[in-house]
Amino acid sequence: EVQLVQSGAEVKKPGESLKISCKGSGYSFNIYWIGWVRQMPGKGLEWMGIIYPGDSDTRYSPSFQGQVTISADKSITTAHLQWSSLKASDTAMYYCARHQKRGVGRDAFDIWGQGTMVTVSS
Amino acid sequence: EIVLTQSPGTLSLSPGERATLSCRASQIVSSNYLAWYQQKPGQAPRLLIYDASTRATGIPDRFSGSGSGTDFTLTISRLEPEDFAVYYCQQYGGSPYTFGQGAKLEIK
């Protein structure tokens, strides 16, 4: 079964760092783009960026460029989303999701993780 | 950046009725690379339609997508109780691959 399994909920303080994960299984992890999507409480979906695990080619939304880092570790078939200094406004559900077609950068997301809730509060 | 505007924001209908949701882009979506997703409370989104009109695997044929250029439509021919949810369009013709703000389909 193709699936993405995300790490558990996090509660952090402003200024702290954080790295959340998304483990892919049941498919060739290296050759499908994986992306991250933010959903703030009660709000819509926001596309953050995508990464191609095969060569770590990464594309960011301008809204998130410099605010987060997207990475992937092929050896453990896991993508990551990290922050160096969290803000209260980073409080949201974060989903990872996989592109449908192998190797295709412009594509829809067909497989989604279950989401990781990040709460940032002093 | 392409801005997607969905309308109406909320649609109130009864089971068995036809639902029509609109997604308008601020500029032409290259190759009609537009998708529709369904999201229910507490769940991750689910892909319904991609490339504007192709149903994703396992999606019932009461869901259909149409449109091109800047105007796209998701139609649900006969609403089932499980179809009441929030729907999002997304363009992936040009980075960043933006989402619409969402449209809530609620039971009348």
Side-chain angles (χ1 to χ4, degrees):
Chain A
E1 181 193 3
V2 176
Q3 57 179 350
L4 297 173
V5 178
Q6 298 185 229
S7 50
E10 301 274 0
V11 179
K12 294 293 210 178
K13 290 182 167 43
E16 291 186 331
S17 63
L18 176 64
K19 191 174 189 177
I20 62 175
S21 65
C22 168
K23 182 171 177 60
S25 62
Y27 71 99
S28 298
F29 181 80
N30 290 359
I31 59 173
Y32 286 82
W33 290 79
I34 283 188
W36 289 92
V37 175
R38 182 174 79 174
Q39 188 166 39
M40 299 176 78
K43 302 299 183 183
L45 305 174
E46 299 174 88
W47 188 88
M48 302 177 71
I50 51 174
I51 187 166
Y52 188 70
D55 61 6
S56 293
D57 184 11
T58 309
R59 302 170 191 177
Y60 291 93
S61 166
S63 298
F64 293 94
Q65 178 90 47
Q67 308 304 309
V68 297
T69 301
I70 294 171
S71 61
D73 186 335
K74 293 186 292 189
S75 67
I76 54 172
T77 66
T78 300
H80 298 280
L81 178 65
Q82 66 181 82
W83 295 259
S84 58
S85 180
L86 286 160
K87 311 180 194 65
S89 57
D90 293 318
T91 294
M93 180 73 80
Y94 293 88
Y95 292 102
C96 64
R98 190 199 77 166
H99 276 186
Q100 273 198 114
K101 308 182 194 79
R102 65 180 75 179
V104 174
R106 296 196 293 171
D107 202 0
F109 293 126
D110 69 334
I111 304 295
W112 291 69
Q114 82 277 19
T116 296
M117 184 66 207
V118 174
T119 303
V120 184
S121 174
S122 54
Chain B
E1 173 173 322
I2 297 177
V3 176
L4 299 180
T5 302
Q6 293 185 237
S7 61
T10 303
L11 186 58
S12 300
L13 293 170
S14 300
E17 291 193 293
R18 181 186 187 89
T20 302
L21 302 176
S22 172
C23 177
R24 177 163 288 178
S26 60
Q27 53 189 282
I28 290 174
V29 177
S30 174
S31 302
N32 296 324
Y33 282 159
L34 187 112
W36 290 94
Y37 300 87
Q38 176 193 69
Q39 188 179 33
K40 297 180 180 178
Q43 296 184 17
R46 176 173 72 142
L47 178 65
L48 300 174
I49 301 287
Y50 64 94
D51 295 351
S53 60
T54 304
R55 268 189 304 278
T57 303
I59 301 304
D61 60 8
R62 65 180 182 274
F63 290 90
S64 64
S66 62
S68 64
T70 61
D71 289 294
F72 300 88
T73 301
L74 174 70
T75 301
I76 311 171
S77 59
R78 288 175 56 86
L79 285 165
E80 297 286 344
E82 62 267 27
D83 297 336
F84 292 91
V86 178
Y87 291 84
Y88 295 92
C89 57
Q90 181 206 15
Q91 67 80 23
Y92 45 98
S95 185
Y97 301 160
T98 46
F99 289 93
Q101 83 278 18
K104 183 177 182 180
L105 179 55
E106 65 177 23
I107 299 178
K108 188 172 183 179

